[in-house]
Amino acid sequence: MFMTEINFKGKEFVYNHHLSVPFHPLVPHADKGVGEVAFDGNLIVQGDNLKALKALMPMYAGKVDCIFIDPPYNTGHEGWGYNDNVNSPMIKEWLASNPVGEDDGLRHDKWCAMMWPRLRLLHELLGETGSIWITLDDNEIHRGRAILDEIFGTDSFVGQIAWQKRTSRENRAVLSPSIDHMLVYSKCLKDTWKLRRNLLVPNENGYTNSDDDPRGAWASIPFSAQGHRDNQVYTIVSPAGVKLKPPKGRCWGATEPEFERLKREKRVHWPKNGQSRPRIKQYPEEAKGLVPMTLWFAKEVGDTESSKKHLLEVFAGNEDVALEIHAPKPVGLVKRVLEIATNRDSIVLDSFAGSGTTAHAVLEQNNFDKGSRKFVLVEMEDYADRLTAERTRKVIGGYAYQGTQSTELLRESITWTRFKNAERTLEKISKIQVLDGPKFDRVTTEVKDGELIVSGEKDYAQNTEGLGGSFTYCTLGDAVEMDKILTGEALPAYNQLGALLFHMATNCPLEMAGIDQGANYLGQSEDRHVWLIYRDDLDWLKSQEAALTLSFARQIAADKTDKPHLVFAPARFVSQKLLNEEHLQVEFAPLPFALYRIERN
């Protein structure tokens, strides 16, 4: 079997770098979230996304249904820096030239080195039937696809979507860029994912009720089918007396008796007063889903210009914050992804969260279909709180904003002829200002992309109702170094250490809701129950309570008899030999050696 492989400078050093990234616990900040702190609910994490993805692994490995990321496009003007602390002299030398600029001869290698370990961790977090959607432009689309081919496999490539990111023409460019790309890969094979993905619901805006049909609004669909079937080729006589045959190379959409039944039910629509072939009424609840296309128009999902205006509305009065994001993705774009790739209870991850569009889209989609999707966002920049989380807070609680409604009054190309007759053009503008000016708060004139545009603008103020919901805001704590816990330098919370140990022992994510700290119980995998005797209290850890005892082993073996038990503890007061002799099926797993030696001092 042919294996796709991409080579870039530094690959040998980052190939398994995701395995060596230390575990950093999530530290909640209740004052920055909405609602109760819950690690198994909506999350916004501020911190390096490589470390954050490793922190999420114990809770979310193999559970994420949809990943949407908008990583740096590596245009040379973004100012991103490579800072993964890979222990390699070559990579440390690279850091001297951070941030990555247009003149950096190794900027494409650095981009690949940055993306590789993150995509490896994202692959592990993705569920077996999940999918990943990555937006890129022409700078790295081919390298991005090559990396994904190697990590996911070429058979998991679903498609490459062209999204119309702008509708205006860029006259300064060699070719005016109109699209960005979106790569789509599944964790499973493409044909398997096809059975899981959703079809798109037809747009109900196309339904009307021009004949006062008591069944409600309808749209018409052609009454013909591909191919030739003898019992579906016959002559239809329209109400106008026109004899009609099926289109060439096709047959009617049903047999003649079936067509007569449709007529009796008044389901047949005759275009052009019966002069054209019949069409069949279709009501919204009968419409079949549409297979998603690989071309997404701005009028359907939004463009960067509309998304920027939307973000400015959300941050009305504090526009400087919104302007920190150059080209935020529109909510409609991510909602289209959610429509295709998620169910109502899916987990959605975005590790390059930016302005928080993914959280906004998840909340809107839940509001639309009464879903309970969860979002997990990671943003490393310092605007994670004041922009990413603040947008989410506003969308949840509602916000007031002021806007401007613009009406185009004149648009003319600037030609040499018009330039020579400038006075006539100025007179035309003056008339517009006199006649139309009173209808607006102001009339503006601008020259854009070689055109003169005169617009009337009217200010307005509105309130957007909150969508409801909650989220927990977290930062990353100090790395958990097992052999230093006894010093008290870093004592992670019970659930954070428990999630890490559970994942290490079972290779499964921990269901946080199942943790019972009072009983020292973490949860169960297919083959064992897992326990943790621990408190984030140094004095307690040095006490006799922090040990596995024979009585505790007897108790848990009697309470849960269906499978063996693994107990993490700083010490034990019972030998493994005695546990085996009593057939308790309890195994002791010492916490760091520094703790384990307590029992021998």
Side-chain angles (χ1 to χ4, degrees):
M1 178 180 175
F2 175 74
M3 174 64 72
T4 301
E5 182 177 356
I6 180 174
N7 290 311
F8 54 88
K9 190 172 184 179
K11 183 178 181 181
E12 63 271 30
F13 302 113
V14 300
Y15 189 83
N16 285 319
H17 178 55
H18 65 291
L19 300 175
S20 63
V21 176
F23 175 79
H24 293 256
L26 299 177
V27 179
H29 298 263
D31 59 320
K32 294 184 178 182
V34 176
E36 298 294 326
V37 171
F39 290 111
D40 56 352
N42 294 324
L43 285 178
I44 296 180
V45 183
Q46 179 181 12
D48 182 283
N49 56 11
L50 185 60
K51 297 175 183 176
L53 290 175
K54 195 65 174 279
L56 294 169
M57 197 66 66
M59 295 175 286
Y60 289 99
K63 293 177 64 177
V64 176
D65 301 289
C66 175
I67 296 172
F68 174 87
I69 58 172
D70 181 29
Y73 283 10
N74 205 18
T75 62
H77 304 288
E78 295 161 311
W80 68 276
Y82 184 89
N83 59 351
D84 283 349
N85 297 321
V86 178
N87 188 22
S88 160
M90 181 198 75
I91 289 185
K92 289 179 179 178
E93 183 180 343
W94 279 4
L95 297 180
S97 62
N98 274 341
V100 177
E102 189 174 16
D103 297 330
D104 189 335
L106 295 173
R107 69 183 175 99
H108 298 295
D109 298 84
K110 290 181 180 180
W111 187 87
C112 291
M114 181 271 293
M115 291 298 295
W116 182 273
R118 287 161 176 79
L119 288 170
R120 291 288 295 270
L121 288 176
L122 289 170
H123 182 269
E124 290 188 30
L125 287 162
L126 201 58
E128 289 305 312
T129 58
S131 58
I132 183 169
W133 306 65
I134 304 178
T135 57
L136 291 168
D137 71 0
D138 292 339
N139 282 281
E140 299 293 358
I141 182 64
H142 49 303
R143 296 180 187 87
R145 183 164 175 177
I147 292 174
L148 289 163
D149 277 345
E150 187 167 348
I151 293 175
F152 282 78
T154 54
D155 290 339
S156 291
F157 170 69
V158 174
Q160 183 169 322
I161 293 166
W163 161 55
Q164 187 183 20
K165 66 178 179 180
R166 62 180 295 168
T167 55
S168 59
R169 193 180 303 275
E170 175 54 82
N171 289 323
R172 295 169 296 180
V174 178
L175 293 172
S176 181
S178 300
I179 67 165
D180 273 351
H181 309 276
M182 189 167 357
L183 293 173
V184 188
Y185 281 74
S186 62
K187 185 78 171 279
C188 55
L189 297 180
K190 177 172 66 175
D191 289 342
T192 302
W193 186 77
K194 177 184 176 183
L195 301 176
R196 301 275 182 166
R197 65 98 166 92
N198 303 313
L199 299 175
L200 294 174
V201 177
N203 186 353
E204 292 192 13
N205 292 335
Y207 291 89
T208 61
N209 195 358
S210 56
D211 60 351
D212 295 324
D213 189 323
R215 291 165 289 200
W218 51 272
S220 66
I221 60 175
F223 182 63
S224 65
Q226 291 181 338
H228 177 89
R229 300 175 186 85
D230 288 341
N231 62 345
Q232 290 178 222
V233 177
Y234 48 89
T235 300
I236 289 177
V237 180
S238 77
V242 179
K243 295 182 178 180
L244 300 166
K245 293 284 188 180
K248 188 175 181 180
R250 298 175 68 88
C251 58
W252 293 123
T255 61
E256 193 167 8
E258 176 67 11
F259 177 70
E260 293 299 323
R261 181 185 67 80
L262 291 171
K263 283 203 302 183
R264 289 194 300 272
E265 294 177 359
K266 298 183 179 179
R267 294 286 300 265
V268 179
H269 170 61
W270 299 96
K272 299 181 181 180
N273 296 318
Q275 300 296 319
S276 187
R277 292 185 180 92
R279 296 173 65 88
I280 304 301
K281 288 184 177 182
Q282 183 182 68
Y283 303 95
E285 62 273 14
E286 300 174 336
K288 295 181 180 179
L290 304 175
V291 174
M293 300 179 69
T294 56
L295 178 59
W296 293 6
F297 291 103
K299 63 183 179 181
E300 299 171 351
V301 299
D303 56 16
T304 54
E305 189 65 29
S306 64
S307 63
K308 193 180 300 182
K309 289 179 180 177
H310 190 187
L311 195 59
L312 288 170
E313 287 180 354
V314 175
F315 285 89
N318 195 13
E319 288 82 1
D320 289 344
V321 174
L323 293 174
E324 293 189 61
I325 298 294
H326 172 64
K329 293 297 177 284
V331 173
L333 178 72
V334 183
K335 282 181 66 178
R336 171 67 62 86
V337 172
L338 300 180
E339 289 174 34
I340 298 169
T342 70
N343 297 317
R344 294 184 182 182
D345 59 351
S346 292
I347 297 174
V348 182
L349 171 63
D350 182 350
S351 55
F352 292 87
S355 67
T357 299
T358 297
H360 195 156
V362 168
L363 292 169
E364 278 203 7
Q365 191 64 25
N366 282 345
N367 186 66
F368 173 74
D369 63 8
K370 310 305 178 188
S372 57
R373 296 171 187 81
K374 298 175 185 176
F375 61 77
V376 179
L377 269 57
V378 180
E379 179 50 55
M380 66 182 296
E381 298 295 341
D382 59 5
Y383 55 64
D385 179 22
R386 67 176 184 271
L387 174 57
T388 315
E390 180 61 15
R391 177 184 187 175
T392 308
R393 290 188 282 262
K394 286 176 175 290
V395 172
I396 288 173
Y399 56 92
Y401 68 92
Q402 294 180 338
T404 300
Q405 183 175 356
S406 181
T407 302
E408 189 176 294
L409 304 175
L410 174 67
R411 180 185 290 264
E412 291 184 349
S413 298
I414 298 177
T415 62
W416 177 246
T417 301
R418 286 201 173 92
F419 184 75
K420 288 192 298 183
N421 295 289
E423 290 184 5
R424 185 179 299 174
T425 301
L426 291 173
E427 183 180 345
K428 190 181 296 185
I429 295 173
S430 180
K431 284 183 178 180
I432 291 174
Q433 291 173 331
V434 171
L435 296 175
D436 295 316
K439 303 175 186 176
F440 303 95
D441 293 318
R442 73 192 67 83
V443 175
T444 63
T445 305
E446 66 172 338
V447 175
K448 183 178 181 181
D449 297 331
E451 291 183 315
L452 171 68
I453 304 171
V454 181
S455 302
E457 294 182 346
K458 202 162 191 175
D459 298 328
Y460 61 89
Q462 289 187 1
N463 287 303
T464 295
E465 188 175 342
L467 298 175
S470 62
F471 73 92
T472 296
Y473 186 92
C474 301
T475 55
L476 298 175
D478 295 332
V480 174
E481 298 181 55
M482 292 294 189
D483 58 346
K484 293 184 179 179
I485 289 181
L486 188 59
T487 66
E489 296 174 27
L491 290 175
Y494 184 89
N495 55 3
Q496 292 287 297
L497 180 60
L500 173 62
L501 296 173
F502 185 90
H503 185 248
M504 290 171 57
T506 66
N507 201 32
C508 297
L510 177 62
E511 294 291 342
M512 302 296 281
I515 294 177
D516 185 350
Q517 184 174 354
N520 300 307
Y521 183 65
L522 292 178
Q524 62 178 310
S525 65
E526 289 186 1
D527 59 354
R528 65 179 65 184
H529 293 282
V530 183
W531 307 77
L532 172 61
I533 301 175
Y534 169 83
R535 300 289 182 274
D536 53 352
D537 181 331
L538 185 58
D539 292 334
W540 187 91
L541 289 172
K542 294 179 179 179
S543 71
Q544 293 187 357
E545 295 179 73
L548 170 62
T549 62
L550 180 59
S551 60
F552 181 79
R554 287 171 174 167
Q555 176 190 333
I556 63 175
D559 289 345
K560 301 181 185 297
T561 61
D562 56 327
K563 61 186 72 173
H565 303 263
L566 177 66
V567 180
F568 287 97
R572 63 176 174 181
F573 296 152
V574 59
S575 68
Q576 190 65 49
K577 179 180 179 182
L578 181 56
L579 294 173
N580 294 340
E581 287 176 352
E582 292 205 17
H583 305 289
L584 295 178
Q585 287 192 297
V586 174
E587 180 184 355
F588 170 64
L591 282 178
F593 176 76
L595 292 175
Y596 179 56
R597 62 188 176 190
I598 291 176
E599 66 175 302
R600 299 185 297 181
N601 289 340

